[in-house]
């Protein structure tokens, strides 16, 4: 242990004993806490959040797209291979995971764990968009590959200019249709306010748990009996807390890597992080907002990470409709929006130095993309928006800083690889776990946290399967392979979540 910590916490004002310590008040900790409340209602849970409110970082609705990632419109999940065929395995996997989240949310509404659904989820079409002959051909092939799949039934392919302009008037106005356009349109997508969802879940968890806001976790130390001592400081009063926990979950977003490194678990060795920040144009003109009602995703620039796919995105936040366009990638050494400029340097350790150094030559396209984005002028950014909304004018939009993401660098052989998904890092004895990475993130929070439960509570997991099946009736099954079960689950979740239903036949 660092001697500084020995001195700083030598006289602790308060000791907290708990079965489960959750670090971070985002969607992941909220989801895990809610699952555990259902599975083990007698366990004690304590949550610690450095900021003064829940969902103040990546789960905040202005810090993420709220798409409810289900691969309906995100074209990066359906790449074209060297033979010109569309790869759909990742899209199917992500959609299956989102269906699990939908079912848990519907169950939570039915059981009174969550409140009014339209405070956190609303129906919004999900749309893939391309232009140019190659783009149109890609979307035609994508539609052919996906529309026959159970999870994607009802997806439309549209390449008619009049139909395009009717469905997307903001994008059609002023467009030169001599440049062909195409859409993959799915009418039954959703917008999810993960901030509101997180707050509602934590309201439920907090009925029988202790939630500590304004409390910064400073260190983690494993004890000889396998339990953990978590050292915490009250950011308002300076009070020091010693938390003794049987299980610790690190759901601290970009802050998770530092804490996993401090824990000393061997499973965290070799992991590094590459921070990427983002900015969005947020529309300030209500008339423009009213002209668009869809989440429209385009194709990523060469070298761009998945979180940088351009999209013109209808949002529903606090009951009000909004409109975002972006993201415009930026860069900061911070690992959190509210982090510090030393976050990246402090994350470099002897065991991850070589993996981190090996990334630059491998990811030249990404570096080139980031440099071009950082060099972009306000006019350049407006022109990018005009690819989607040709008549957009700068005075109708304001630039906002969105969330900070940390992409996972994983040790592979003597070097490393940059990953754009999410990774669960768990101690071999199951006493601690953390989540690293970004997209698809929040939308797959429920299956991600079930994975944590399975990895960390293997001796109990079989006994939990009955309760998990009550919460998630398709648990352990592939809905894409079972059309009748998918229809049953879809109709139930639509009804419980109060989403507009349409026939998919």
């Amino acid at each position: 242990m660092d001697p500084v910590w020995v001195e700083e916490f030598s006289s602790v004002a308060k000791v907290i004993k708990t079965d489960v310590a959750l670090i971070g008040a985002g969607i992941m900790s909220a989801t895990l806490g809610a699952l555990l409340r259902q599975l083990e209602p007698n366990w004690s849970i304590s949550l610690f959040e450095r900021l003064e409110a829940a969902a103040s970082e990546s789960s905040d609705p202005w810090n993420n797209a709220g798409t409810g990632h289900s691969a309906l419109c995100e074209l990066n999940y359906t790449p074209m291979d060297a033979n010109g065929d569309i790869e759909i395995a990742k899209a199917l996997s992500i959609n299956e995971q989102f269906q699990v989240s939908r079912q848990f949310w519907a169950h939570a509404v039915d059981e009174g764990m969550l409140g009014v659904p339209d405070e956190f989820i609303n129906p919004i079409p999900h749309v893939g968009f391309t232009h140019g002959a190659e783009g149109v051909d890609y979307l035609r092939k994508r539609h052919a590959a996906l529309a026959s799949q159970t999870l994607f039934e009802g997806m439309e392919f549209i390449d008619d200019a009049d139909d395009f302009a009717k469905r997307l008037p903001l994008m059609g106005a002023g467009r030169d249709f001599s440049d062909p356009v195409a859409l993959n349109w799915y009418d039954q997508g959703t917008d999810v306010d993960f901030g509101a969802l997180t707050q509602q879940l934590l309201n439920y968890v907090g009925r029988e748990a202790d939630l500590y806001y304004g409390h910064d976790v400073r260190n983690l130390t494993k004890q000889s009996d396998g339990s953990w001592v978590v050292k915490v400081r009250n950011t308002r009063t300076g009070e020091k807390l010693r938390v003794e926990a049987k299980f610790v979950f690190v759901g601290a977003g970009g802050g998770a890597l530092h804490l996993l490194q401090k824990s000393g678990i061997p499973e965290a060795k070799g992991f590094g992080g590459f921070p990427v920040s983002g900015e969005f144009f947020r529309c300030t003109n209500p008339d423009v907002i009213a002209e668009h009602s869809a989440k429209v995703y385009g194709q990523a620039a060469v070298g761009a990470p998945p979180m940088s796919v351009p999209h013109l995105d209808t949002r529903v936040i606090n009951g009000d409709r909004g409109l975002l366009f972006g993201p415009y990638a930026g860069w900061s050494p911070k690992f959190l929006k509210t982090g510090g400029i030393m976050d990246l340097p402090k994350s470099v350790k002897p065991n991850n130095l070589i993996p981190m150094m090996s990334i630059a030559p491998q990811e030249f396209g990404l570096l080139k993309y980031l440099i071009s984005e950082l060099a972009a002028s306000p006019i350049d950014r407006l022109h990018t928006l005009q690819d989607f909304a040709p008549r957009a004018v700068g005075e109708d939009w304001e630039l906002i800083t969105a969330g900070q993401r940390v992409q996972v660098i994983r040790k592979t052989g003597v070097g490393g690889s940059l990953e754009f998904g999410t990774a669960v890092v768990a101690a071999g004895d199951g006493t601690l776990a953390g989540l690293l990475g970004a997209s698809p993130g929040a939308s797959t929070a429920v299956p991600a946290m079930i994975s944590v439960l399975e990895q960390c509570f293997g001796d109990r997991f079989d006994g939990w399967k009955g309760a998990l099946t009550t919460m998630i009736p398709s648990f352990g099954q592939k809905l894409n392979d079972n059309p009748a079960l998918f229809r049953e689950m879809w109709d139930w979740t639509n009804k419980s979540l109060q989403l507009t239903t349409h026939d998919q036949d």
Side-chain angles (χ1 to χ4, degrees):
M1 186 190 303
D2 189 320
V4 172
W5 291 110
V6 173
E7 178 181 351
E8 188 173 0
F9 284 90
S10 58
S11 58
V12 178
K14 185 175 182 180
V15 175
I16 296 173
K17 295 180 181 291
T18 187
D19 292 315
V20 176
L22 303 174
I23 303 174
I27 186 63
M28 296 298 175
S29 290
T31 300
L32 183 59
L35 286 167
L36 287 172
R37 278 264 66 83
Q38 292 279 293
L39 296 170
E40 295 289 348
N42 294 324
W43 284 8
S44 56
I45 298 176
S46 300
L47 178 145
F48 304 91
E49 166 58 48
R50 180 172 60 92
L51 302 179
E52 296 293 341
S56 296
E57 275 280 353
S58 295
S59 300
D60 181 272
W62 294 117
N63 289 345
N64 66 69
T67 306
H69 280 269
S70 45
L72 296 167
C73 57
E74 303 94 337
L75 305 183
N76 53 296
Y77 296 140
T78 50
M80 182 182 290
D81 66 19
N83 297 320
D85 298 322
I86 304 299
E87 299 176 3
I88 64 172
K90 188 170 185 178
L92 292 174
S93 174
I94 289 173
N95 196 299
E96 289 277 8
Q97 292 178 69
F98 183 66
Q99 301 304 324
V100 170
S101 291
R102 263 182 72 122
Q103 289 175 55
F104 177 70
W105 301 337
H107 167 81
V109 170
D110 291 347
E111 296 298 313
M113 298 161 58
L114 292 174
V116 180
D118 66 8
E119 292 181 358
F120 68 88
I121 189 166
N122 287 274
I124 294 290
H126 283 205
V127 185
F129 160 64
T130 61
H131 62 88
E134 289 186 5
V136 171
D137 182 60
Y138 164 73
L139 278 193
R140 183 180 286 109
K141 289 181 176 180
R142 181 179 185 268
H143 174 261
L146 288 176
S148 60
Q149 303 294 319
T150 300
L151 295 175
F152 293 85
E153 289 176 2
M155 178 179 284
E156 302 174 71
F157 173 75
I158 297 165
D159 62 355
D160 177 75
D162 291 338
D163 198 2
F164 181 104
K166 181 180 178 181
R167 297 187 188 221
L168 298 170
L170 183 63
M171 294 180 63
R175 181 171 296 277
D176 179 4
F177 284 104
S178 65
D179 179 31
V181 295
L183 304 173
N184 282 172
W185 184 283
Y186 191 86
D187 203 40
Q188 300 174 81
T190 51
D191 173 74
V192 184
D193 180 341
F194 286 104
L197 177 59
T198 299
Q199 290 164 5
Q200 288 196 24
L201 286 171
L202 288 179
N203 285 342
Y204 162 70
V205 173
R207 296 176 195 171
E208 301 292 338
D210 296 314
L211 310 183
Y212 296 86
Y213 295 102
H215 281 71
D216 186 23
V217 173
R218 308 300 295 273
N219 209 4
L220 301 162
T221 306
K222 192 171 186 178
Q223 305 301 292
S224 58
D225 63 356
S227 65
W228 289 85
V229 170
V230 184
K231 294 181 177 179
V232 183
R233 180 185 295 280
N234 185 319
T235 60
R236 297 182 296 271
T237 67
E239 180 187 22
K240 293 168 287 185
L241 284 72
R242 175 187 172 97
V243 181
E244 299 175 1
K246 297 176 182 177
F247 172 75
V248 176
F249 174 68
V250 184
L257 178 59
H258 285 142
L259 290 174
L260 287 170
Q261 290 174 333
K262 287 183 176 181
S263 74
I265 63 171
E267 292 79 7
K269 295 185 183 301
F271 277 98
F274 183 80
V276 179
S277 57
E279 296 180 326
F280 280 88
F281 271 141
R282 179 167 59 190
C283 188
T284 57
N285 186 332
D287 294 333
V288 174
I289 295 171
E291 287 185 60
H292 188 81
S293 184
K295 291 180 176 291
V296 181
Y297 275 58
Q299 291 179 299
V302 175
M307 60 172 284
S308 296
V309 173
H311 48 97
L312 187 61
D313 196 337
T314 295
R315 300 302 320 274
V316 183
I317 300 172
N318 296 325
D320 296 325
R321 289 212 169 201
L323 187 61
L324 293 177
F325 178 78
Y328 298 98
W331 192 84
S332 164
K334 295 180 179 181
F335 277 10
L336 291 163
K337 192 174 178 179
T338 56
I341 61 172
M342 294 301 293
D343 286 350
L344 178 59
K346 287 182 178 179
S347 75
V348 179
K349 308 293 181 184
N351 59 67
N352 67 12
L353 177 60
I354 292 176
M356 292 182 73
M357 290 179 63
S358 71
I359 291 303
Q362 296 177 38
E363 299 291 341
F364 180 75
L366 172 60
L367 296 176
K368 182 179 178 181
Y369 165 76
L370 287 174
I371 292 169
S372 67
E373 286 283 287
L374 292 169
S377 68
I379 294 298
D380 293 331
R381 289 173 169 170
L382 180 61
H383 287 164
T384 304
L385 169 58
Q386 289 171 340
D387 286 341
F388 279 69
R391 291 182 176 172
V393 293
E395 52 262 36
D396 289 337
W397 303 80
E398 62 180 356
L399 194 66
I400 64 170
T401 300
Q404 187 81 357
R405 303 290 189 267
V406 179
Q407 310 296 343
V408 175
I409 297 174
R410 185 190 296 266
K411 185 177 182 180
T412 54
V414 296
S417 61
L418 187 65
E419 299 180 358
F420 295 110
T422 51
V424 174
V425 180
D429 64 358
T431 59
L432 181 144
L435 195 75
L436 300 175
S439 182
S443 302
T444 58
V446 178
M449 293 303 97
I450 290 175
S451 176
V452 168
L453 294 175
E454 187 171 17
Q455 289 186 55
C456 296
F457 299 97
D459 58 334
R460 293 178 175 268
F461 194 76
D462 282 345
W464 287 342
K465 288 181 177 178
L468 287 169
T469 302
T470 297
M471 293 184 276
I472 303 157
S474 73
F475 179 72
Q477 303 182 66
K478 296 285 189 182
L479 288 175
N480 198 59
D481 299 334
N482 192 331
L485 180 60
F486 169 71
R487 170 63 69 180
E488 181 184 352
M489 295 299 97
W490 187 259
D491 290 345
W492 162 55
T493 55
N494 269 343
K495 181 178 179 181
S496 292
L497 297 174
Q498 300 176 17
L499 302 171
T500 303
T501 59
H502 301 276
D503 289 334
Q504 288 187 307
D505 301 328

